[in-house]
């Protein structure tokens, strides 16, 4: 069970610059830690994040172990038309989660 | 004091998060960490020989953070964000985490505003660098110094 | 580790010394939430519900609230919408009629699991238990803490208060030495604070996740090098009860963020 907290304004005027905030639950295990017996704890992080707006990529990020657990990213985009934002997180061990949010642009 | 503080911070970041693993106790083995030199090398990989000029970029991070596990950071680049003149990407680096890269962010004129925010881990008191690539191929940068303090009453018994 | 430990030990020595002159308990008007000692950045993280990482636990809680067990009923089937829990968390720990003793919110949730859902109790500090208590706690966000109004609790509150005042551990420090007498000072970079449990479960940056008040108390017990109580020890509930009643009237912040 992985939860994502997405914040996109429900409505905006055409041309408004809107802020999008995303929070994804993930341990972000760095891969640099060891157990007392000396075994390396394998890296388990989210490596990529993308946001599409009605199908077009408007934001993309590469993440490294220096990102905090439960990664938070915020960014901006111009509200152009009503429709859907789709978010995707990809990571180690086949991690893949998606979320979406809709917006009405007037 | 500075020297031993550093060791402590590294150990601390290495053990932080152990709770998520339940009963597994954690120790940090080996001095694997980025240095100002590995950070320079990581920056070279991104800029590919181009000059990096100071300016246009603003790196906001609290000068004194309460816990290195979750440090809020905002990068803002002064840019009209038009088709002809905009920010293409933003890259963040650190000197003293185990690895020099923090994140790469790709934007376009559709962003409207060249500003991103995130939360990062800092293993130690150090300098951070943010670099922006503009649509004309130029690179601009800003740096910020962060002092990381140690949390009290943690789960480490010693 | 050595150097910093020396620093904190010498600070502790100062605390132990100055507290020979016992200060009074904190006057109601002087009480301050732990949030007010945090940096503006950490306060902003707590106050923005769209950026507070503790809200991920609340979201998980919403899923669990409506999840039907293989046999039996979901929390929602008996209790309705989670908003029916408004005002509940601010009364806990509360007196349980059947057990004839106080139970904290985690124990209350597990009573429902066992008595009403025929499910095994959720483990202490498990993700699901934290998620459900975060969801229930969130319903009372902003409401004043009421714990302790029930007179049957008084004897237990008194025991918790005794524990708070008692010197213990290798450092021979009582909770009160730090949290009543020295809350305006700092310890190895951290504000000591008044120890009001106004936001549990909290997202502690140190933990990189949600944790209960019991986990927080165990951290302070380890801090004074004493053997921490187990989660189900009656002493643990008494201490939680004293702390919550000591914060009576203060606003609930669940899910709070702490360093």
């Amino acid at each position: 069970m992985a939860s994502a907290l997405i914040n996109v304004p429900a409505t905006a005027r055409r041309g408004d610059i809107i802020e999008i905030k995303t929070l994804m639950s993930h341990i972000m295990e760095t891969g640099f830690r060891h157990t007392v017996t000396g075994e390396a704890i394998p890296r388990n992080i989210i490596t990529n994040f993308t946001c599409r707006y009605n199908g077009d990529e408007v934001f993309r990020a590469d993440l490294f172990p220096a990102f905090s657990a439960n990664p938070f990213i915020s960014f901006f985009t111009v509200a152009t038309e009503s429709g859907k934002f789709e978010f995707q997180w990809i990571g180690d061990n086949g991690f893949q989660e998606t979320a979406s949010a809709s917006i009405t642009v007037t | 004091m500075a020297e031993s503080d550093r060791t402590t911070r590294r150990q601390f970041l290495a053990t932080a998060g152990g709770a998520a693993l339940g009963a597994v106790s954690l120790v940090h083995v080996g001095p694997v960490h980025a240095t100002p030199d590995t950070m320079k090398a990581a920056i070279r990989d991104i800029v590919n020989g181009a000059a990096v000029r100071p300016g246009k970029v603003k790196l906001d991070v609290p000068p004194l953070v309460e816990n290195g596990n979750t440090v809020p950071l905002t990068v803002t680049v002064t840019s009209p964000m038009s088709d002809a003149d905009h920010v293409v990407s933003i890259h963040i680096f650190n000197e003293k985490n185990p690895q020099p890269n923090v994140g790469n962010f790709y934007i376009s004129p559709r962003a409207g505003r060249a500003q991103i925010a995130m939360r990062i881990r800092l293993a130690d008191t150090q300098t951070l660098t943010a670099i922006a690539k503009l649509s004309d191929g130029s690179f601009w940068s800003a740096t910020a110094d962060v002092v990381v303090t140690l949390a009290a009453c943690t789960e480490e018994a010693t | 580790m050595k150097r910093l430990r020396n620093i904190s030990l010498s600070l502790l020595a100062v605390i132990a010394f100055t507290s020979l002159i016992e200060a009074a308990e904190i006057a109601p008007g002087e009480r301050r939430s732990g949030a007010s000692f945090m940096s503006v950045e950490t306060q902003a993280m707590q106050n923005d519900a769209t950026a507070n990482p503790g809200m991920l636990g609340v979201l998980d809680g919403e899923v669990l609230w409506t999840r039907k067990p293989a046999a039996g009923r979901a929390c929602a089937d008996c209790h309705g919408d989670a908003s029916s829990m408004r005002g509940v968390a601010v009364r806990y720990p509360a007196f349980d009629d059947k057990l004839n003793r106080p139970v904290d919110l985690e124990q209350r949730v597990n009573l429902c699991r066992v008595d009403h859902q025929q499910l095994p109790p959720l483990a202490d500090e498990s993700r699901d238990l934290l998620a459900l208590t975060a969801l229930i706690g969130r319903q009372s966000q902003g409401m004043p803490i009421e714990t302790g109004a029930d007179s049957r609790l008084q004897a237990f509150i008194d025991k918790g208060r005794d524990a708070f005042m008692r010197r213990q551990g290798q450092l021979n420090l009582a909770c009160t030495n730090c949290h009543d007498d020295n809350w305006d000072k700092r310890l190895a970079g951290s504000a000591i604070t008044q120890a009001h449990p106004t936001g549990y479960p909290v997202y502690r940056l140190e933990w990189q996740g949600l944790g209960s008040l019991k986990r927080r108390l165990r951290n302070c017990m380890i801090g004074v090098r004493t053997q921490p109580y187990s989660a189900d020890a009656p002493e643990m509930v008494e201490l939680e009860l004293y702390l919550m009643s000591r914060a009576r009237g203060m606003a609930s912040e669940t899910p709070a963020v702490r360093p």
Side-chain angles (χ1 to χ4, degrees), chain B residues 1-155:
Chain B
M1 151 116 202
E3 227 6 82
S4 55
D5 252 347
R6 228 160 257 159
T7 331
T8 307
R9 285 313 306 177
R10 274 204 300 275
Q11 271 175 356
F12 157 63
L13 198 82
T15 47
L21 289 155
V24 188
S25 312
L26 301 163
V27 291
H28 184 60
V29 181
V32 204
H33 58 93
T35 62
D37 284 342
T38 55
M39 177 167 100
K40 279 190 201 126
I43 292 175
R44 268 200 306 274
D45 284 349
I46 295 282
V47 304
N48 217 350
V52 181
R53 279 172 278 180
K56 291 190 194 279
V57 181
K58 196 159 147 272
L59 179 50
D60 282 311
V61 54
L64 186 82
V65 306
E66 289 168 321
N67 193 297
N69 287 337
T70 314
V71 181
L73 179 152
T74 304
V75 181
T76 314
V77 188
T78 310
S79 163
M81 292 308 279
S82 61
D83 285 340
D85 180 4
H86 58 267
V87 177
V88 174
S89 58
I90 296 171
H91 309 269
I92 301 166
F93 305 92
N94 68 89
E95 293 176 329
K96 286 184 194 159
N97 282 345
Q99 221 184 323
N101 301 82
V102 175
N104 300 321
F105 307 87
Y106 304 90
I107 61 176
S108 74
R110 290 193 60 175
R113 181 180 305 167
Q115 180 174 325
I116 52 172
M118 71 209 74
R119 295 174 189 150
I120 69 165
R121 294 171 164 147
L122 290 177
D124 199 352
T125 293
Q126 58 181 292
T127 303
L128 292 168
T129 302
I131 295 186
K133 180 181 183 179
L134 304 196
S135 47
D136 65 1
S138 64
F139 289 93
W140 299 82
S141 76
T143 60
D145 295 319
V146 191
V147 174
V148 179
T149 61
L150 191 81
C153 298
T154 67
E155 268 145 20

Side-chain angles (χ1 to χ4, degrees), chain C residues 6-202:
Chain C
N6 290 345
I7 296 168
S8 31
L9 283 183
S10 60
L11 252 167
L12 290 176
V14 173
I15 289 170
F17 178 73
T18 55
S19 60
L20 288 178
I21 316 148
E22 292 286 295
E25 287 170 52
I26 301 163
E30 273 182 46
R31 289 181 308 173
R32 284 169 57 186
S33 154
S36 70
F37 296 83
M38 307 193 301
S39 69
V40 286
E41 292 85 8
T42 314
Q43 289 187 30
M45 198 183 298
Q46 169 172 317
N47 293 339
D48 179 353
T50 64
N52 178 338
M55 288 302 292
L56 290 170
V58 174
L59 286 181
D60 287 343
E62 279 171 6
V63 174
L64 296 170
W65 185 258
T66 51
R67 181 180 291 171
K68 267 199 205 310
R73 297 198 270 168
C75 318
D77 292 335
C78 291
H79 293 290
D81 192 82
S83 61
S84 67
M85 289 283 141
R86 186 172 157 75
V88 170
V90 288
R91 287 193 278 102
Y92 275 74
F95 196 83
D96 186 276
D97 293 326
K98 277 180 236 149
L99 297 171
N100 208 31
R101 60 171 168 82
V103 295
D104 61 26
L105 191 57
E106 290 85 351
Q107 291 168 339
R108 178 60 250 179
V109 168
N110 272 333
L111 284 173
C112 274
R113 294 257 311 173
V114 175
D115 295 349
H116 299 306
Q117 294 186 303
Q118 286 73 47
L119 289 172
L122 292 167
D124 179 37
E125 297 304 319
S126 62
R127 183 184 169 128
D128 287 3
L129 190 53
L130 290 166
L132 283 167
T133 50
L135 173 70
I136 295 168
R138 160 84 178 163
Q139 309 309 314
S140 302
Q141 199 182 68
M143 295 179 70
I145 290 168
E146 292 170 20
T147 307
D150 182 341
S151 63
R152 293 174 296 176
L153 292 169
Q154 198 53 50
F156 299 93
I157 295 175
D158 292 344
K159 281 198 217 161
R161 185 179 179 281
D162 288 346
F164 193 81
M165 301 297 169
R166 192 185 314 128
R167 286 175 182 272
Q168 49 182 321
Q170 282 174 36
L171 299 183
N172 196 32
L173 277 174
C175 318
T176 184
N177 293 149
C178 280
H179 292 298
D180 285 332
D181 303 348
N182 286 291
W183 55 263
D184 52 348
K185 300 198 179 58
R186 300 183 76 83
L187 188 61
S190 306
I192 288 177
T193 84
Q194 300 178 349
H196 295 301
T198 45
Y200 287 82
V202 301

Side-chain angles (χ1 to χ4, degrees), chain A residues 27-96:
Chain A
I27 176 173
M28 295 297 280
E29 179 62 51
T30 62
F32 297 112
R33 305 190 310 149
H34 296 75
T35 64
V36 262
T37 52
E39 282 162 77
I41 301 170
R43 192 185 85 166
N44 178 15
I45 65 165
I46 292 174
T47 50
N48 296 92
F49 167 75
T50 37
C51 170
R52 288 194 167 72
Y53 185 1
N54 286 343
D56 297 339
E57 180 183 297
V58 291
F59 182 83
R60 177 163 59 88
D62 305 328
L63 282 65
F64 293 86
F67 249 81
S68 300
N70 303 316
F72 172 79
I73 304 177
S74 94
F75 53 94
F76 289 84
T77 198
V78 178
T80 50
E81 57 191 1
S82 296
K84 205 162 134 191
F85 286 97
E86 286 167 298
F87 305 90
Q88 185 180 44
W89 295 260
I90 293 175
D92 296 330
N93 309 322
F95 182 87
Q96 193 181 327

